């Protein structure tokens, strides 16, 4: 086989379809978020980022940075090993305690990323619990899907946020079999939120465990930023709460929270935990500072929600097709991969605005979109400029207006 030709053909296919990905070469400027510098076509210029998952700007927060600097000076760069073989640093222990406190659980366990937390936890549960069946929301993130597949346990897929269908799926499983319902709180591409209480009611009726991915909610929802389950009063009902330190907390890493026995079980049997080097101690220190900061700064959450609501309102006023999000995420439908990329390129090249076009497989074909994530740091002037520029893009490219 001509291996190189195989690779090249696969890439050519993506280009034909208009969904070949080109990364924006960014240099974010601490202290100036959401402003950044981009290197593009041999030129350098300053832009405003409108699609970051550093939702609250914690990646430049002075308390986060101070904690990271202090830990670098104290402990150096890396952890030096897996958690079991010399890699556990006191900052890891402090971070796990902080996360257990955030979610009011007995314990928490950290991983290199949220993706690895999902993959490792779900695959370990499905592999180890005899005869376990997963019941999984059809829109679950790739990391949950991979974890479930990797476990080789049986799975059923329920229609997105459809509690009646979830009830039927659970009803079809033999009552004695162990079951786990896997879902998210905020779905990141549509910005909708699951009915956590109703899902818990049904799971409890059938004696199923619940696994809730709060990646797009931790730091941003609930009085202390523990997520939508905290906001809605259901946090104590979830078997496994999973989150990331990389989005609203602005650093990197993933975690689960739950009972001491559950966390100890994953710690002891989860290969993605056991065989991977612990996160750098400065990263753990920064993440802990960030979690603590957001626990105490509800006004940032209020400002965040206000910014998102304002952007949605302003785009709807000029008939830009904002999708029906109930969260901080502002998705705008384009519906075609080529036009979506053209809109993104036009905004970057002519208006110094960076919003990534989102295409398949992240979203379904025909629902390609621009996904805006206004942060507490986006000013009214930033928003004026964005709204005007989007109106021009819609005009110039003849994009579909709101119905
Ligand atoms: C981003 C994401 C993850 C993975 O988290 P990382 O910390 O970025 O690896 C997991 N679940 C969902 C829903 C996500 O969007």
């Amino acid at each position: 086989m001509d291996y190189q030709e195989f690779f090249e053909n696969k890439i050519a296919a993506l280009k034909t379809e208009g969904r070949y990905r080109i990364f924006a070469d960014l240099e974010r400027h601490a202290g100036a978020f959401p402003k950044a510098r981009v290197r593009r076509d041999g030129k350098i210029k300053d832009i405003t980022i409108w699609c970051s998952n550093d939702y609250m700007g914690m990646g430049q927060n002075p308390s986060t940075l101070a904690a990271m600097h202090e830990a670098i000076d104290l402990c150096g760069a890396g952890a030096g090993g897996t958690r079991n073989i010399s890699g556990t640093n006191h900052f890891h222990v402090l971070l796990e305690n902080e996360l257990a406190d955030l979610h009011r659980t007995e314990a928490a366990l950290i991983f290199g990323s949220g993706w690895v937390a999902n993959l490792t936890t779900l695959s370990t549960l499905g592999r180890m619990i005899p005869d376990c069946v997963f019941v999984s929301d059809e829109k679950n993130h790739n990391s949950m899907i991979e974890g479930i597949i990797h476990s080789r346990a049986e799975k059923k897929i329920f229609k997105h946020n459809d509690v009646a269908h979830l009830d039927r799926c659970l009803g079809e499983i033999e009552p004695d079999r162990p079951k786990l319902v896997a879902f998210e709180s905020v779905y990141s591409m549509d910005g909708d939120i699951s009915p956590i209480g109703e899902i818990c009611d049904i799971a409890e009726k059938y004696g199923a465990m619940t696994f809730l991915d709060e990646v797009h909610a931790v730091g941003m929802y609930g009085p202390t930023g523990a997520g939508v389950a905290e906001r809605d009063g259901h946090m104590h009902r979830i078997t496994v709460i999973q989150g990331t330190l990389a989005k609203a907390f602005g650093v990197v890493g993933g975690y689960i929270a739950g009972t001491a026995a559950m966390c100890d079980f994953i710690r002891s049997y989860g290969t993605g935990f056991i065989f991977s080097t612990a996160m750098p101690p400065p990263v753990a220190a920064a993440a802990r500072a960030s979690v603590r900061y957001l626990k105490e700064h509800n006004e940032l959450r209020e400002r965040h929600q206000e910014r998102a609501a304002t952007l949605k309102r302003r785009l709807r006023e000029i008939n830009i097709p904002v999708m029906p999000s109930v969260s901080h995420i502002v998705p705008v439908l384009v519906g075609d991969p080529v036009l979506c990329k053209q809109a993104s390129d036009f905004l970057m090249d002519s208006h110094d605005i960076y919003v990534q076009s989102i295409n398949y497989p992240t979203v379904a074909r025909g629902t390609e979109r621009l996904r805006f994530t206004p942060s507490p740091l986006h000013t009214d002037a930033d928003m004026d400029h964005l709204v005007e520029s989007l109106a021009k893009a819609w005009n110039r490219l003849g994009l579909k207006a709101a119905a």
Side-chain angles (χ1 to χ4, degrees):
M1 185 180 188
D2 184 336
Y3 303 115
Q4 299 313 314
E5 186 183 79
F6 174 84
F7 301 145
E8 284 160 13
N9 287 343
K10 282 298 197 192
I11 294 301
L14 291 177
K15 288 184 176 166
T16 308
E17 230 190 289
R19 59 183 186 89
Y20 177 70
R21 294 172 167 187
I22 297 165
F23 297 154
D25 180 351
L26 301 168
E27 184 182 288
R28 301 208 297 161
H29 287 168
F33 288 9
K35 310 289 176 196
R37 189 155 285 173
V38 67
R39 285 174 171 79
R40 186 174 164 86
D41 306 326
K43 281 174 245 148
I44 299 180
K45 68 173 182 174
D46 293 325
I47 52 145
T48 304
I49 301 181
W50 275 99
C51 56
S52 176
N53 277 343
D54 184 354
Y55 292 121
M56 308 292 253
M58 291 305 292
Q60 67 169 10
N61 184 278
S63 66
T64 307
L65 301 191
M68 199 171 214
H69 282 294
E70 270 171 44
I72 290 174
D73 291 341
L74 186 67
C75 304
T82 61
R83 287 291 295 274
N84 189 47
I85 308 177
S86 93
T88 296
N89 191 281
H90 190 53
F91 285 115
H92 298 128
V93 177
L94 292 175
L95 174 58
E96 286 173 339
N97 292 343
E98 192 65 45
L99 291 166
D101 181 74
L102 176 69
H103 292 291
R104 279 162 258 151
T105 51
E106 291 172 357
L109 190 69
I110 52 175
F111 298 81
S113 73
W115 196 92
V116 172
N118 272 341
L119 180 99
T120 301
T121 306
L122 287 166
S123 64
T124 306
L125 291 168
R127 182 167 55 83
M128 297 288 296
I129 300 176
D131 225 17
C132 186
V133 188
F134 286 110
V135 186
S136 175
D137 188 289
E138 68 179 346
K139 292 226 173 154
N140 276 344
H141 189 256
N142 164 272
S143 52
M144 298 166 87
I145 296 168
E146 298 276 349
I148 290 169
I149 291 172
H150 197 69
S151 80
R152 300 194 188 153
E154 190 182 328
K155 67 166 185 290
K156 285 171 176 285
I157 310 295
F158 67 98
K159 293 202 191 82
H160 180 53
N161 281 346
D162 184 336
V163 288
H165 190 218
L166 170 65
D167 194 319
R168 285 200 301 284
C169 286
L170 283 165
E172 285 164 14
I173 303 167
E174 297 82 337
D176 294 343
R177 287 183 73 178
K179 308 164 196 70
L180 184 148
V181 179
F183 64 115
E184 301 180 22
S185 56
V186 176
Y187 285 84
S188 70
M189 291 299 148
D190 293 326
D192 57 334
I193 293 181
S194 62
I196 297 177
E198 287 173 70
I199 291 175
C200 288
D201 290 344
I202 295 169
E204 284 162 12
K205 179 168 118 185
Y206 292 99
M209 293 180 282
T210 45
F211 182 106
L212 176 61
D213 175 322
E214 290 252 42
V215 160
H216 293 276
V218 288
M220 293 173 279
Y221 293 85
T224 68
V228 179
E230 181 191 36
R231 182 193 75 179
D232 295 354
H234 302 299
M235 201 156 61
H236 61 286
R237 303 173 73 185
I238 307 293
T239 316
V240 183
I241 297 171
Q242 182 271 352
T244 185
L245 304 166
K247 291 173 185 174
F249 294 129
V251 191
V252 74
Y255 66 91
I256 56 170
T259 62
M262 187 278 292
C263 289
D264 200 10
F265 169 76
I266 300 298
R267 184 185 74 91
S268 307
Y269 290 97
T271 51
F273 178 86
I274 296 170
F275 293 104
S276 188
T277 299
M279 69 170 61
V283 166
R288 173 170 174 253
S290 188
V291 171
R292 287 173 85 110
Y293 186 91
L294 284 182
K295 262 183 193 168
E296 286 158 14
H297 287 81
N298 209 36
E299 78 284 356
L300 221 55
R301 278 183 280 281
E302 283 167 10
R303 163 95 177 153
H304 184 218
Q305 291 297 319
E306 178 278 321
R307 292 283 82 186
T310 301
L311 182 61
K312 285 180 204 169
R313 176 177 56 73
R314 293 194 57 183
L315 293 178
R316 284 188 178 123
E317 279 167 8
I318 58 163
N319 286 326
I320 297 285
V322 178
M323 298 167 77
S325 158
V326 295
S327 66
H328 58 282
I329 292 157
V330 184
V332 170
L333 185 67
V334 175
D336 177 89
V338 175
L339 285 173
C340 203
K341 179 163 187 315
Q342 283 176 4
S344 168
D345 286 343
F346 174 76
L347 290 167
M348 181 79 110
D349 292 331
S350 306
H351 297 284
D352 303 335
I353 286 169
Y354 173 44
V355 59
Q356 185 60 42
S357 63
I358 309 285
N359 55 21
Y360 178 82
T362 307
V363 296
R365 287 194 171 91
T367 71
E368 290 80 8
R369 65 198 68 176
L370 301 174
R371 173 184 179 271
F372 297 92
T373 53
S375 75
L377 302 164
H378 287 87
T379 63
D380 284 337
D382 291 332
M383 223 179 266
D384 291 344
H385 179 59
L386 175 67
V387 171
E388 270 169 42
S389 307
L390 270 184
K392 285 182 191 152
W394 248 248
N395 230 330
R396 160 76 72 97
L397 299 168
L399 303 178
K400 251 190 229 139

